[in-house]
Every structure is written in structure tokens, then in C-alpha cells.
Amino acid sequence: MKLFRFLTGPDDASFCHKVTAALNNGWHLFGSPTYAFDVETRTMRCGQAVVKDVEGVEYEPEMKLGDY
């Protein structure tokens, strides 16, 4: 099964740690990162898509993708 996640967070070290943790858990970067201004909080936000192949597991909409 191929999994897809879109990681988001503030433009600070916590976002980099979130992406680093995903990479160290077998996820791979997919596409370019995004960067946008959040008008409500008046802060910059980051986003990065990641994908992962998992063998021997069937996809179900209820699964928590971060557990893989």
C-alpha cells in the first residue's frame, strides 16, 4: 500500500523536526515544500508532502497514517 501525508507547521524548528522524524520513519519527500502566510495568526506556515510504501497492509480510511 502507498501512503500519503501532508505535514504542516509553523515556520520554526518544530516543523523541521516533524519532517525529519517522518524521514527517519521511512517516509520520503514528495514534491516541493510550501510556504504561506496565515492571516489569522499573522505567522508563516510550512507544508511538505511525504509518501511511504508499506507491504502486507491493506488501506482502510480509519487508519492513523502517522503510525506507519
Side-chain angles (χ1 to χ4, degrees):
M1 137 181 88
K2 184 175 278 287
L3 300 177
F4 172 90
R5 292 173 62 201
F6 188 71
L7 307 175
T8 62
D11 179 24
D12 63 16
S14 69
F15 177 73
C16 295
H17 286 284
K18 185 184 289 189
V19 174
T20 298
L23 294 173
N24 281 284
N25 283 321
W27 293 83
H28 301 276
L29 299 177
F30 184 80
S32 298
T34 61
Y35 194 60
F37 183 70
D38 183 336
V39 176
E40 288 184 23
T41 63
R42 300 186 51 79
T43 60
M44 294 303 290
R45 307 273 303 164
C46 301
Q48 175 64 58
V50 292
V51 294
K52 184 176 186 178
D53 290 316
V54 177
E55 299 296 324
V57 179
E58 293 286 325
Y59 171 75
E60 296 183 20
E62 300 82 30
M63 43 181 33
K64 186 176 176 187
L65 301 178
D67 288 344
Y68 293 90

